Amino acid sequence: MEEIQTIIQEHPESAFNKRPLITKLTSNGNITLPTDSFTEWVDGQEKKKGKDEKTFNELKRKYFGL
């Protein structure tokens, strides 16, 4: 597991180390917030929304308390 985590964090081709990405498990799925979209999975259904930097900061506070 540690080897996979290192690849995700450090490999030059990893999509997960190029920009901010926040994710959180919820009671019925998860929410993910990179800088250009907001994705919410609820009971296996994906809801994805595009957004701008201002909305990123608002969602970051609302869903993640950051």
Side-chain angles (χ1 to χ4, degrees):
M1 198 65 161
E2 288 180 24
E3 182 179 348
I4 293 169
Q5 183 178 10
T6 300
I7 291 169
I8 289 170
Q9 291 176 345
E10 298 176 9
H11 195 280
E13 294 181 25
S14 173
F16 298 99
N17 62 16
K18 306 291 184 281
R19 59 189 174 150
L21 172 76
I22 307 167
T23 191
K24 177 180 174 179
L25 292 176
T26 62
S27 60
N28 53 357
N30 69 62
I31 52 178
T32 303
L33 182 64
T35 55
D36 62 349
S37 65
F38 176 75
T39 304
E40 182 175 20
W41 284 87
V42 178
D43 298 327
Q45 299 293 315
E46 178 187 33
K47 298 176 187 177
K48 190 169 192 168
K49 302 174 188 174
K51 55 179 188 42
D52 58 22
E53 186 175 340
K54 179 182 175 192
T55 308
F56 171 80
N57 290 325
E58 292 170 0
L59 293 169
K60 186 172 67 168
R61 276 190 293 280
K62 179 179 178 180
Y63 288 99
F64 299 94
L66 302 172

